[in-house]
Amino acid sequence: MSTNIQSTIASYQAKQGPLLEVKDLQVDFTTDTGKAVHAVRHSSFSVYPGQWVAIVGESGSGKSTSAMAVLGLLPGTGHVVGGSIKLDGQEIAGISQKEYDKLRGSKMGLVPQDPMSNLNPVWRIGAQVKEALQANNMDISKEKRSKLASALASEENSVVDLKTEEDELFVGSKDLPALLDAAKKALEDAGSKHVEEEMNYFRDEWVPGSQTRWRVAKDLIDAGVSDDSAWTIAKKHVLGSTMEDRISGLLSEAGLPDAATRARQFPHEFSGGMRQRALIAIGLACRPDLLIADEPTSALDVTVQKRILDHLRTLTDSLGTSVLFITHDLGLAAERAQHIVVMYKGQVVESGPSLEVLQHPQHPYTKRLVAAAPSLASQRIISAKERGEDADALLEHKIADESALAKSEHIITVEHLTKEFKLPRKKEMFKAVDDVSFSVKRGTTLAIVGESGSGKSTVANMVLHLLEPTSGKITYEGRDTSEFNAKDLLDFRRHVQPVFQNPYGSLDPMYSIYRSIEEPLRIHKIGDKKWRANRVKELLDMVEMPSSVMGRYPNELSGGQRQRIAIARAMALEPDVIVCDEAVSALDVLVQDQVLRLLNDLQAEKGLSYLFITHDLAVVRQIADEVVVMQHGRLVEHATTDEVFDHPQRQYTRDLLDAIPGGKLKLGLD
């Protein structure tokens, strides 16, 4: 961003004041017994036009509740009991739902956390974008620009002055062919030496329902066409878009390729990243002044997360949209937002410019967040190595060197593993895993990393004998698992246990915590009832959970607590190997840090081997001895953790490392 634009924004912010101003906010929930639970207490923060503000904190800290209070979408018995919420100078705390309906969409937009829960599974994506436009009576033929965007337009694009509202008309699909023909002729008449190159640029940029008349004129002028000729072409051929154009334009802006086709698809036909892009398109459809993004990328791959947030930044900058960004990752917050608000137990405990909060945290809780964030821990290790210092002290897990790994006994070996699936309506088979080989050494951790769809979870399921390989061999302690009979397989499952990503999905909601942990012991006929009860207590103590939780159910525990129960259950049979499939990806950084410490401690005490499946290389740095990198079903890199981080061989690996949130921040931590 140029200095001129920055100064324009700064002066505009100073003149207009905060877009959103929250003072002494108090939000209560009422229990079944009528008792008030104070979810948010005396919290204050502001968001200025064009600014990104991040609210950071663990689950239950009040960050999402604060955001929902601003939107007037508090769930259940939640209600604002005190304080002030002003949007563009207007008090909105306590207004009616009908008045809120007028503000949502047009003034405030939302990108929620879980796209599958927030997209209607029986509606096509295009229909859901259309609903947002129609509900807010949007003029789909022309752009709606914020006051800030209009103020910046002349600064950013001094060649083109906004003249009238008609300059905001969108390119229409029916007018596009004639527009391109006219543009080509104008370039030839102007004597351009790069006609085809410029035309390729126009074809990419002039998206129906997205590109405006004044942008078309500017592109032509930048390509060497005279001002008068450029404006004549733009006014003649840019006449406004249809609803279908606008839907495709919004999806294209959100980063979805082949948007017109995608608009006709259903949510289940989209990947997680594509669904999140669709939600961004819906959230920005009505060009709100304020966009609230509530953990919009927490369950996504780091590379997809980076692409989506990069694109969201580009969109919001061009539109002049302010963003209230809710996240639990302080590294991600500091990288993306200009200002950070830290919440703890319903209160704002620290607030300030991002780098200042990151580099000089004042509150003990903020210091804990900084210390626990894997992304920042990874950066501290890199910084220490650059200074020539010993980085081992910064690692919770002492990584085994190559000579130690070479001497280690192989407990699980995977040889030339391949898995093919039959896809509906297609003749050819889909190869999810393609000729993968590696081994897990006793007492060490092997991490398999890659984006969604890389085949890493499929490999894990084949190792666990939950999927049959198409070809290849898996051996456990030298024995081919495909030759196991029922008795051998039962013994194998006793020694190789899984911990899955979603503990609520892997723990039976109808089983008490006691029964969930005790069940493997009962199935394998280990001990009597009294012995098993004592064993469950021991396991709960091992994962630092009180024995009082035995009578509770999974829905009564937090995500981190449920994951501890899942680990306790996996440890019940004293396994040799634990397969962790994205076991910490959905957890808050503090809980994530606790679970990783627990896994490290258990490995040190019990000599466990881990097969750790993840997309997050920052986590890998904290726990793994070796790393296998997978892309499109193939193994593309295999080395020690230090070697992968210090000397990545493939561009794909470098992209994964580059996508670590906060990886490029200058820490200088206190």
Side-chain angles (χ1 to χ4, degrees):
M1 196 179 290
S2 72
T3 307
N4 286 343
I5 292 173
Q6 286 179 330
S7 63
T8 302
I9 291 174
S11 62
Y12 185 86
Q13 289 174 342
K15 181 182 175 183
Q16 296 293 321
L19 173 66
L20 175 69
E21 189 174 19
V22 178
K23 285 187 177 179
D24 293 322
L25 180 65
Q26 300 176 65
V27 179
D28 284 1
F29 287 84
T30 308
T31 65
D32 294 339
T33 59
K35 184 182 176 183
V37 177
H38 308 303
V40 177
R41 300 175 291 162
H42 304 290
S43 292
S44 302
F45 55 89
S46 299
V47 183
Y48 283 82
Q51 187 184 37
W52 275 53
V53 174
I55 303 182
V56 189
E58 60 191 323
S59 291
S61 61
K63 56 187 189 295
S64 289
T65 301
S66 298
M68 292 304 108
V70 171
L71 283 163
L73 293 174
L74 286 169
T77 61
H79 53 287
V80 176
V81 295
S84 167
I85 305 172
K86 287 183 179 179
L87 182 68
D88 208 9
Q90 176 193 351
E91 180 61 59
I92 61 173
I95 65 174
S96 68
Q97 281 302 312
K98 191 174 180 180
E99 290 174 300
Y100 256 121
D101 288 342
K102 293 178 182 177
L103 295 175
R104 288 195 289 265
S106 58
K107 289 286 188 180
M108 297 185 289
L110 172 66
V111 180
Q113 181 172 0
D114 181 11
M116 204 55 198
S117 300
N118 289 282
L119 290 169
N120 192 323
V122 299
W123 280 24
R124 299 181 194 273
I125 294 295
Q128 301 188 56
V129 179
K130 182 178 179 180
E131 184 187 35
L133 292 166
Q134 288 181 330
N136 291 279
N137 300 309
M138 289 296 295
D139 183 351
I140 46 92
S141 68
K142 64 176 67 172
E143 177 69 282
K144 173 195 169 187
R145 299 181 67 81
S146 71
K147 295 174 185 175
L148 175 59
S150 296
L152 291 176
S154 58
E155 185 73 40
E156 186 182 3
N157 305 282
S158 55
V159 181
V160 179
D161 295 320
L162 291 178
K163 294 178 170 60
T164 68
E165 283 193 7
E166 297 305 306
D167 297 334
E168 301 294 334
L169 286 168
F170 288 121
V171 174
S173 55
K174 68 178 188 332
D175 302 315
L176 183 59
L179 171 63
L180 290 169
D181 289 343
K184 187 175 182 180
K185 187 175 184 305
L187 287 170
E188 291 170 348
D189 291 346
S192 174
K193 297 178 181 179
H194 309 285
V195 174
E196 200 51 47
E197 187 180 319
E198 294 288 358
M199 289 304 299
N200 286 334
Y201 175 80
F202 294 162
R203 290 185 192 100
D204 289 339
E205 290 296 311
W206 293 354
V207 178
S210 175
Q211 192 69 301
T212 58
R213 178 184 285 181
W214 75 279
R215 282 282 188 186
V216 168
K218 180 185 183 299
D219 285 346
L220 287 167
I221 293 167
D222 288 346
V225 178
S226 68
D227 288 29
D228 289 343
S229 184
W231 275 106
T232 299
I233 292 169
K235 287 178 179 180
K236 184 178 179 181
H237 297 290
V238 183
L239 304 172
S241 62
T242 62
M243 178 62 79
E244 287 69 29
D245 290 339
R246 188 67 185 121
I247 291 168
S248 298
L250 284 164
L251 292 174
S252 179
E253 287 174 5
L256 279 172
D258 195 13
T261 302
R262 295 295 187 189
R264 296 192 293 271
Q265 293 183 301
F266 292 94
H268 73 269
E269 298 177 273
F270 279 29
S271 69
M274 289 166 66
R275 287 197 289 264
Q276 200 65 61
R277 286 182 172 95
L279 281 180
I280 290 171
I282 293 168
L284 287 170
C286 303
R287 303 310 197 211
D289 297 324
L290 174 68
L291 183 72
I292 295 176
D294 189 4
E295 300 273 15
T297 58
S298 62
L300 301 180
D301 299 340
V302 286
T303 49
V304 177
Q305 173 182 266
K306 183 176 186 299
R307 285 198 294 271
I308 285 177
L309 291 178
D310 284 348
H311 194 74
L312 184 58
R313 165 67 74 183
T314 302
L315 271 179
T316 53
D317 283 355
S318 65
L319 297 170
T321 304
S322 305
V323 178
L324 186 61
F325 183 48
I326 314 297
T327 180
H328 59 254
D329 190 336
L330 193 55
L332 183 63
E335 183 179 70
R336 296 290 171 176
Q338 294 100 12
H339 195 90
I340 284 178
V341 176
V342 182
M343 289 195 74
Y344 177 57
K345 293 185 176 179
Q347 291 184 295
V348 174
V349 296
E350 193 160 348
S351 177
S354 298
L355 280 178
E356 188 177 313
V357 171
L358 187 68
Q359 294 174 346
H360 310 292
Q362 301 300 309
H363 195 273
Y365 179 71
T366 312
K367 292 178 180 179
R368 282 171 58 204
L369 284 177
V370 171
S375 54
L376 299 181
S378 176
Q379 185 61 13
R380 280 193 289 270
I381 294 163
I382 293 167
S383 299
K385 288 189 173 185
E386 286 175 351
R387 294 192 301 268
E389 299 171 4
D390 184 14
D392 288 349
L394 298 170
L395 289 166
E396 194 67 30
H397 175 78
K398 179 69 171 86
I399 295 173
D401 57 29
E402 288 190 41
S403 59
L405 288 167
K407 297 173 186 174
S408 298
E409 177 191 354
H410 295 199
I411 190 167
I412 288 179
T413 303
V414 170
E415 298 177 20
H416 306 293
L417 204 62
T418 299
K419 180 63 181 178
E420 294 180 339
F421 291 98
K422 178 74 174 74
L423 295 178
R425 300 185 299 275
K426 292 198 177 178
K427 291 181 181 179
E428 68 273 11
M429 300 291 284
F430 172 68
K431 196 172 282 187
V433 177
D434 187 4
D435 194 27
V436 170
S437 302
F438 61 83
S439 61
V440 181
K441 282 95 173 171
R442 193 178 294 279
T444 69
T445 300
L446 175 79
I448 304 180
V449 300
E451 297 177 325
S452 290
S454 61
K456 56 188 188 296
S457 289
T458 306
V459 169
N461 285 328
M462 286 190 285
V463 169
L464 288 165
H465 221 280
L466 300 175
L467 278 176
E468 238 7 87
T470 304
S471 63
K473 186 167 72 171
I474 301 166
T475 61
Y476 171 69
E477 293 192 324
R479 296 179 65 197
D480 188 345
T481 60
S482 64
E483 298 173 359
F484 283 179
N485 57 31
K487 185 181 176 185
D488 292 333
L489 192 56
L490 187 65
D491 186 63
F492 170 79
R493 297 205 187 285
R494 178 172 178 174
H495 291 93
V496 181
Q497 284 282 303
V499 178
F500 296 109
Q501 178 175 1
N502 180 6
Y504 197 67
S506 59
L507 295 173
D508 193 321
M510 303 297 289
Y511 281 14
S512 68
I513 299 303
Y514 172 80
R515 188 174 176 187
S516 292
I517 300 173
E518 185 251 4
E519 186 185 29
L521 297 167
R522 186 162 34 82
I523 289 171
H524 288 268
K525 300 177 180 174
I526 299 172
D528 56 22
K529 192 173 179 179
K530 185 179 178 182
W531 185 90
R532 290 198 294 270
N534 288 327
R535 176 63 174 155
V536 171
K537 288 180 183 176
E538 288 175 10
L539 290 162
L540 286 170
D541 186 59
M542 187 185 296
V543 297
E544 299 175 359
M545 290 288 289
S547 57
S548 58
V549 303
M550 286 196 292
R552 296 167 73 182
Y553 289 82
N555 69 312
E556 299 177 78
L557 304 181
S558 70
Q561 289 172 324
R562 289 198 293 264
Q563 201 63 297
R564 287 171 181 268
I565 299 304
I567 293 169
R569 184 179 62 179
M571 290 296 302
L573 299 170
E574 297 187 332
D576 301 316
V577 181
I578 294 181
V579 179
C580 300
D581 189 1
E582 300 280 13
V584 296
S585 64
L587 302 178
D588 294 341
V589 288
L590 288 176
V591 178
Q592 191 179 81
D593 182 58
Q594 292 165 4
V595 172
L596 291 176
R597 286 172 186 266
L598 173 63
L599 291 171
N600 279 327
D601 292 345
L602 290 174
Q603 186 174 58
E605 291 170 19
K606 309 288 185 181
L608 293 170
S609 305
Y610 294 134
L611 181 61
F612 202 88
I613 315 297
T614 183
H615 60 254
D616 191 348
L617 274 164
V619 170
V620 168
R621 186 59 137 166
Q622 296 297 96
I623 197 161
D625 300 288
E626 290 183 273
V627 180
V628 164
V629 182
M630 289 188 67
Q631 182 186 23
H632 304 317
R634 297 188 67 85
L635 192 157
V636 296
E637 194 157 346
H638 183 186
T640 63
T641 303
D642 280 343
E643 189 66 22
V644 166
F645 272 80
D646 297 341
H647 309 290
Q649 299 300 303
R650 300 294 291 263
Q651 183 58 46
Y652 179 68
T653 310
R654 289 192 284 272
D655 290 342
L656 287 172
L657 289 167
D658 187 56
I660 296 174
K664 294 182 173 65
L665 294 171
K666 302 296 180 185
L667 296 181
L669 299 171
D670 286 348

